[in-house]
Structures are given as C-alpha cells and as structure tokens.
C-alpha cells in the first residue's frame, strides 16, 4: 500500500446524488436467493459471533468458494442488526466514487453528511454519523479484490481503522487486498475465514447433491469430497454433471479427470486473470502432485519463491504442507492440477515430456522414489524404468511403500512387469506384506538373475522365504549369501546383511548375527532407509535377549524405540516389532514404567494375507505383548489363555522355532500360575515334537514337574538341560539355578538351596533379571529369609528381590492338581464336603485329601481363606 496517500486527498461525495435503481439492485443489495442454496448454519453461527463492536471479518477464498452466497443467506437471517451491502467494482478505484458508494450503501441507516463538508473531514464526519445512528450496523463489502487504486485502498483502510463501536465490517475477496491487516490483528479486531473454513464438509456435499436427486455410496462420496476439496462451485458442477446419469459409478470416475464444465470454470474464473509467466509456472509444476521451492526452480529455472508468492497473492487453490524435514510443499487443487496437466499435454507435448524427466530425476536424487517412479511410468521409457527399478526399487520396499510399488507397476509396460528385476521387487513386496506364498511364486519364475546385485537380491529373497517356511535349503543358501561377492548397491547389500544376520540368529550364532545386524544398520543409514535401520537395531535387541544379556537387550530396545520416535516411525510395523523387544525386557525385569507405548493383545498390527488377518511380525510378538500385560491384566486367566494360544499358533506356523523355544518356559509358567497343567503339558509336547529335546523343553518340563511336587523328575529334567550342547536361551540359566534351589529346599538341603540361589542372584544382578525369582517366589521366600545377610556382594540385589516378592507372593498362586482345582471351584458354592463328593462322584476321603492339598499350597487353614487366596491368585 502507498503510505504517502493522505485521507485529505479524498474528495467528498455529493450527498443526495441519485443512484439508478438497476445499479442499486446489483451493487447495494445482496443477490437474490437462488435454487439449491444449502443452508450452512455452522458458518452462520461463526459470522454472527464475529459481527460485533468494530470487528472486521475477512472471507478470503478463490472464486466459487461460496463467499457471496453465504453472506447473502446470512444477511437475510439477521433481525437484531441492520445490514448494508456493497459489491465493489472497477469504478470504485476512484476514491470519489468509492466514498459515494459507501455513503449510498449506508443511506438507509445513516443520515447523510452535510453538503459542503471539507474533504479532509468527510471520513470522520461519516463515521460520526454512523455512530450517531445509535443502531448496530453490519457493512458487507463484497469483491474487495477489485480495488487496486492506492488512494481508494487507503480510503478503505481508514474506514476500517476509524469504524465506530456500532459498526462491524465483513469483507469478501478472492485474494487478500493490501490493507493494514496487522493493525487489526494487534487490536484483536480481525477474524479470518479461509478457503478451508468455507469448504463444504461431507454432510453439506451430501445435502447439495441431494438437491440434484443424487445418492452416492460412501466410497463415491469420498471420491467427490477428495477431488472437490469442498470447493463450492466445483461441488455444484459435480451435482450438475452427475444429475440424470444412470451410470453413477462411471460418472464419478469421469469427474475426477476434470470434465469440460469444470475446465471452463477453472479457465474463466481462476486462470484467465493470471499473467503469462504464472500460467507457465503452473503448467510446469503441475506434472508433480506436490512441489517445493527447490523442485519448482529445477523445473522452471527462475526464482520459484517469487512465483509462489504471486500465486498466494492471487489466492489460488494451493495447499501448503510442511514435511518432517521442515520442507514446505505446495499442491494444486486436484481438479485444477488435472486441468493443467491436460492443457500442458495439448499446448507443448515435447516440453511436458522434458519437464517430467527433469522432475523424475530431481525426485530420485532427493529420495522421493515413489513419486519419481510414477513419473517414470508416465514417461513410458522402458529402459529408464528398468534402470530406475534396478537402482531404487528395493529401497521403495525397504521404506515401507511396497503397496505403492505394486500399484504403480500394474500400469507399467509389459517388458517391465515381465523383467526379472520387477519380479524380484514384487516378491520383496509380498514378503514385506507377509505373503510368503506369493513371494515364492514370483521367485520360482526368475531363472538366472544378472547382473551381480540381482543375483544377490535373488538369494536374499529366497533365504527370507526359506526362514518363513522352514525350508530345507536354508543352510546352503545362507552360506552362499554370507560368502557372496559384494555389490555396489547399498540397498541390496543392507538387505543381504539383514538376511544373513537372521540366519545366524536362528542358528544360535549370536556373535556373527550381531555383526551382520550392525552392518545392515550402517548401510541402511547410508541411504536413509530408516525402517531397515530400525529392523536391524531390533535384531540386535533380539540377539542380546536370546544370548541372555538382559542389560544389552534393554539398552538396544530403548535405543531402537528412541530412533523410531526421532524418525517418525511410531506408526509402522517395524516400530511394533521393536516394542516387542521392549515388552519382553520389561517382563523379564518386572518393569512397568516404559516411556514408549506397547501394543496389547487386542490392538497389535495385523497383515491381511488373502483375506486372513495375521500378526504383522508373527505370533511371537503377540506372546511378548501378552507377557508384558500379564501382571496388570484385569483378567489374568484370559490373558494367559490368549498368550498360550499365540504360542500354539507360532508352533503351528513352524516359523522361527528358536523364538518358540525361547518363549516356551515363560509361557508354561504363566499357564501354571493359573492351574492350567494340561495346557502347559501340551505346549511342551508340541515344541518338543517340532524342535526336539532342546534345553528350553527340559526347563519347561522341570517347571511342570516342580509344580506337581515331583522333585526327582524335575531334577532329571534340569540335568538333561545342562547336558545339551546348546546353552539355555533368554537367561534360562537363571531359571535353572532358581529351580535347582527350589528342589534342594524341598529336599531339606538348605545349604545347597542357598548356593543355587546365590548363583542365580549373581548371574541375574547384572541385567536386573527379576522374573525367575517372581515365578518361584512362593518357594524362594523362606530361603531368602533364612539366609538374609549371607549373599555377600549380591545382598542388595537379594533384598531387592525379597522386596519385590512381598506384593507378588499370592499373585502367582501355587500349582494345584486337576483334582484339587476342581474341588476348589466347588468350594465357592458353599456346599458341604459330602455334597461336593456327591456332585463329583468321589469319596468323601478323596475330597478331604484334595482339601488338605489346597490348604497346604495356598498356606491357609480354612475354606474362606482358601477362596480369598485363590481369587487373589487368579485361580477362580
């Protein structure tokens, strides 16, 4: 705005000058009501709330946003305030005419200013006259974007600044006129209504289409809403276009490609007023769905910031989005973008192809690979597409966009889709989605893969399918991949390291697995593959867990989750996999104050494989979530049941048997904690049948025997576990020492029980491993009490364990036999011993024997206390 313009330069209007009736109807009255006007009460309420005491409301939105119709409809509803209307036009760029227009607009409510008033005092006198009217007045100024004369703009600025208390002003414009809005904002006098505020919501769109007798499905309505963005005129055009069409589905699809009525509207109302350089800018930047300043400059070769500022000044339907890396991206309204693309194809097909190539190259260079691939497919050059897929295709999958890759390749030329490279990428996408069968199908049609990096990728993909299917060729494929000649493609190398690491992990070669996971993370960081990095860091946590290093497990899981938060990965499946390590660490260390959200058994992420939902990263993650929630669950028995069923599903799937083996003792102990001896026995049997008599099977069986007070058999199982060539996983050596202490205590060998417990404390202290002591707390409490002060350097940790046992001692109730458990449930009925014997078809002596066992194991002396203890322990 020209600050040198003075209000004294304004020429006063001639009061009493007559205005032709036709002009009065067109400029000084709201437009007449039209058919199919949709009432918008939410906006009416907002306008009514802002039109008071010198407030200024600014409705700034593109043509067709519904500003004028909204204000006219609202004005007709007003009964508590006087409403004046003025539609500005080109003639108002003369200050004398503008003042005359303002005076005429308010003539019904304000006494005219005395003839001959000096020009420099006219505005002040006019404002005084408005205030003297004593009535609340709302002045609506429509099409204010028509003002461009500096003196006229200054005049309007003074009207806003000097408005009396009883005058509120509503301004509607296609783009923001150069008034001193900051002053109004500083004095809290300005309320803005942007295009997004005026946009029709889904209910209003439905109502408007209903005026055309159009009824759409939810999916069809979502398409219309997505492509119109609630732009009022475009929604009406959609209604007119769909009206009377019998093929509604086809009509909706056609509408998304900017039909002629919409194109005409865009040209006449949006694009016609733009200077040629802005039109060129829009054509060239329309080839991408969104553009930043840097991308736009690569496409047009000039200062893009200036052009974007000009577009904003014209208030074009341009959406601004700030990405996590603080880059600002701009995108055109979908229908406007489609029109610009069609126009670019028409006026300059060769130039459009060149700009597409420039955009694809820029997007690839800046790692926006999905967008780059879509452009490459649009260009249609088979050689370019294959080169791009060869270099970036796997990265798209590793970044979690496998669904987009599959979708885009569906429209690729046949030579591309039938190429070995595309088939391997489709296999990788299927594996990422958990669909091993589809992945194997693609790999079976490959033949010989070349060049070198394709051969490496083929082996890595094959190895991942073999892990999922427990294939017999795992060992040879792993060896070949581990001793490969390395390629220069860092994505493929990172993926190969990840698969080799998994192979070593499954073979219990934890040292080499940790090295491979670390190398995978390093290469993933090199290319910014944050999801692969997170998966590798999670692998390091699993390695530490199964290697028995609980401290390292906790450190790795914490680092992985912090990395996920830093890289905005908390909504991904890889994040959920990382939380499973944290959940297991929390369970083993009996920690509840985690800083990261851990999924539950009810809300874990699922993958849809041919219509069947399965956990995104397998049943073992679900088991860890169940273990983590066990001690805080409202229904302990139900949580145990869900966790047990998850392990059964994991066993049936025959994937990652080492994980099933490692989790077996923990899940068996949860079953025993609620008296489910039969289920515990079945889990042990199923794992033994699938994997063999590994140490974990012996440990789980020892726990089962110990629960039944069969100490000699429990000792045999512990001895068998120690004789296996594999050492126990997941800190199970501590479990073994704790159970050994329990057996010695039961056999009245207190010194041996002390030494075994001391050894368990020594090993567990380093990682704060509390779970083995909590699982057998009812047997360990006496040993800890009897030998208090004798644990040497481990005395503080022993005290810590003892303190944690006090609130836990009845949560894990002693194990009852099936007969004892049946009798316990009957106690709740209040029946006599004789009645219970009759109900169960047992002798009274048998019932009494079971009762003695129940009282002894629950450490009570009567029925009432037995029921209390059973309820606290989750037995009933």
């Amino acid at each position: 705005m020209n600050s040198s313009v003075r209000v004294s330069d304004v020429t006063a209007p001639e009061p009493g000058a007559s205005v032709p009736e036709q002009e009065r109807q067109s400029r000084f009255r709201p437009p007449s009501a039209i058919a199919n006007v949709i009432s918008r009460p939410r906006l009416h309420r907002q306008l009514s709330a802002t039109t008071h005491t010198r407030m200024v409301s600014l409705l700034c939105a593109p043509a067709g946003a519904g500003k004028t119709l909204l204000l006219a409809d609202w004005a007709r509803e007003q009964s508590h305030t006087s409403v004046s209307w003025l539609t500005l036009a080109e003639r108002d760029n003369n200050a004398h005419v503008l003042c005359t227009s303002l005076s005429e607009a308010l003539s019904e409510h304000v006494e005219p200013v005395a003839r001959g008033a000096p020009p420099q005092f006219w505005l002040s006198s006019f404002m005084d006259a408005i205030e003297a009217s004593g009535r609340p007045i709302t002045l609506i100024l429509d099409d204010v974007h028509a003002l461009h004369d500096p003196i006229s703009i200054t005049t309007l600025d003074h009207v806003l600044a000097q408005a009396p208390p009883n005058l509120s002003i509503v301004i509607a414009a296609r783009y923001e006129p150069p008034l001193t809005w900051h002053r109004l904002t500083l004095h809290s006098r300005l309320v803005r209504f942007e295009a997004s505020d005026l946009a029709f919501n889904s209910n209003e769109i439905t109502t408007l289409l209903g005026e055309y007798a159009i009824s759409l499905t939810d999916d069809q309505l979502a398409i219309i809403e997505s492509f119109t963005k609630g732009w009022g005129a475009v929604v009406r055009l959609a209604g007119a276009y769909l009206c009377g069409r019998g093929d509604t589905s086809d009509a909706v699809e056609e509408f998304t490609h900017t039909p002629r009525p919409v194109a005409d509207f865009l040209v006449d109302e949006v694009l016609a007023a733009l200077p040629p350089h802005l039109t060129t800018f829009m054509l060239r930047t329309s080839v991408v769905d969104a553009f930043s300043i840097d991308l736009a400059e690569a496409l047009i070769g000039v200062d893009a910031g200036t052009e974007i500022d000009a577009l904003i000044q014209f208030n074009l339907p341009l959406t601004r989005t700030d990405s996590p890396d603080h880059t600002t991206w701009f995108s055109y309204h979908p229908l406007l973008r489609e029109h610009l693309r069609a126009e670019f194809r028409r006026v300059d097909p060769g130039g459009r192809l060149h700009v597409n190539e420039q955009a694809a190259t820029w997007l690839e260079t800046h790692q926006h690979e999905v967008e780059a691939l879509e452009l490459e497919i649009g260009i249609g050059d088979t050689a370019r597409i294959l080169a791009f897929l060869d270099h970036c295709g796997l990265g798209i999958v590793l970044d979690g966009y496998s669904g987009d890759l599959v979708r885009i390749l569906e429209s690729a030329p046949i030579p591309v889709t039938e190429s070995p490279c595309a088939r391997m990428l489709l296999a990788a996408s299927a594996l990422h989605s958990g669909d091993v069968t589809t992945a194997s199908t693609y790999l079976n049609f490959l033949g010989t893969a070349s060049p070198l990096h394709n051969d490496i990728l083929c082996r890595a993909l094959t190895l991942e399918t073999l892990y999922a299917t427990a294939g017999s060729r795992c060992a040879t494929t792993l060896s070949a991949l581990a001793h490969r000649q390395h390629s220069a493609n860092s994505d493929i190398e990172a993926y190969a390291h990840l698969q080799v690491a998994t192979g070593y992990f499954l073979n219990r070669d934890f040292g080499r697995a940790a090295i491979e996971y670390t190398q995978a993370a390093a290469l993933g960081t090199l290319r910014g593959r944050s999801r692969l990095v997170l998966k590798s860091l999670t692998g390091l946590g699993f390695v530490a867990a199964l290697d028995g290093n609980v401290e390292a497990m906790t450190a790795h899981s914490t680092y992985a989750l912090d990395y996920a938060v830093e890289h905005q990965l908390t909504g991904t499946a890889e994040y959920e996999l990382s939380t499973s390590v944290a959940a297991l660490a929390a369970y083993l260390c009996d920690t509840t104050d985690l800083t990261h959200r851990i999924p539950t058994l009810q809300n874990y992420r699922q993958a849809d494989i041919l219509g069947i939902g399965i956990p995104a990263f397998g049943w073992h993650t679900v088991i860890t979530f169940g273990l983590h929630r066990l001690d805080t669950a409202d229904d302990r028995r139900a949580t145990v049941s869900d966790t047990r069923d998850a392990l059964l599903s994991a066993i049936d799937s025959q994937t990652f048997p080492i994980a099933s083996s490692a989790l077996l003792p923990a899940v068996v102990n949860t079953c025993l904690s609620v008296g489910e001896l039969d289920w515990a026995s079945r889990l042990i049997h199923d794992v033994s049948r699938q994997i063999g008599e590994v140490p974990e099977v012996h440990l789980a069986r020892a726990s089962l025997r110990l629960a039944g007070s069969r100490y000699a058999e429990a000792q045999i199982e512990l001895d068998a576990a120690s004789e296996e060539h594999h050492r126990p996983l997941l800190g199970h050596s501590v479990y073994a020492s704790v159970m050994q202490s329990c057996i010695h205590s039961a056999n009245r060998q207190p010194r041996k029980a002390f030494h075994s417990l001391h050894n368990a404390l020594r090993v567990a202290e380093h990682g704060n491993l509390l779970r083995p002591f909590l699982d057998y707390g009812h047997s360990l409490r006496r040993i800890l009490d009897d030998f208090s002060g004798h644990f040497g350097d481990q005395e503080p940790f022993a005290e810590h364990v003892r303190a944690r046992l006090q609130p836990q001692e009845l949560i894990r109730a002693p194990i009852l036999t099936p007969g004892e458990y049946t009798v316990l449930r009957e106690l709740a009925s209040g029946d006599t011993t004789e009645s219970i014997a009759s109900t169960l078809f047992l002798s009274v002596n048998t019932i009494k024997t079971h009762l003695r066992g129940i009282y002894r194991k629950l450490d009570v002396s009567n029925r009432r206390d037995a029921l209390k203890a059973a309820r606290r322990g989750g037995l009933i």
Side-chain angles (χ1 to χ4, degrees), residues 206 235 398 420 494 662 799 829:
T206 300
V235 174
L398 296 178
E799 287 296 327
S829 67

Side-chain angles (χ1 to χ4, degrees), residues 24-46:
R24 175 175 292 279
Q25 291 298 330
S26 63
R27 297 190 62 211
F28 301 104
R29 295 282 187 275
S32 301
I34 64 172
N36 300 327
V37 172
I38 303 302
S39 179
R40 310 187 72 186
R42 62 183 179 91
L43 292 175
H44 288 193
R45 288 192 295 271
Q46 293 177 40

Side-chain angles (χ1 to χ4, degrees), residues 157-229:
D157 221 8
H158 282 291
V159 170
L160 299 181
Q162 298 177 23
N166 62 325
L167 177 65
S168 59
I169 301 174
V170 180
I171 292 177
R174 293 186 179 182
Y175 48 84
E176 196 171 282
L179 300 169
T180 52
W181 302 111
H182 64 281
R183 294 180 184 174
L184 298 173
T185 302
L186 287 173
H187 291 90
S188 301
R189 292 184 55 210
L190 179 64
V191 177
R192 293 178 180 271
F193 291 82
E194 308 285 352
S196 57
D197 300 309
L198 301 179
F200 281 61
N201 60 31
S202 58
N203 291 333
E204 291 168 335
I205 293 175
T206 300
T207 303
L208 192 150
L209 295 179
E211 295 293 329
Y212 292 90
I214 298 169
S215 177
L216 301 180
T217 66
D218 289 344
D219 290 341
Q220 291 168 344
L221 178 62
I223 292 173
I224 294 297
E225 186 175 7
S226 173
F227 275 85
T228 63
K229 301 295 183 185

Side-chain angles (χ1 to χ4, degrees), residues 426-439:
L426 291 172
S429 299
L431 284 172
H432 184 269
S433 303
D435 189 352
V436 180
T437 302
T438 299

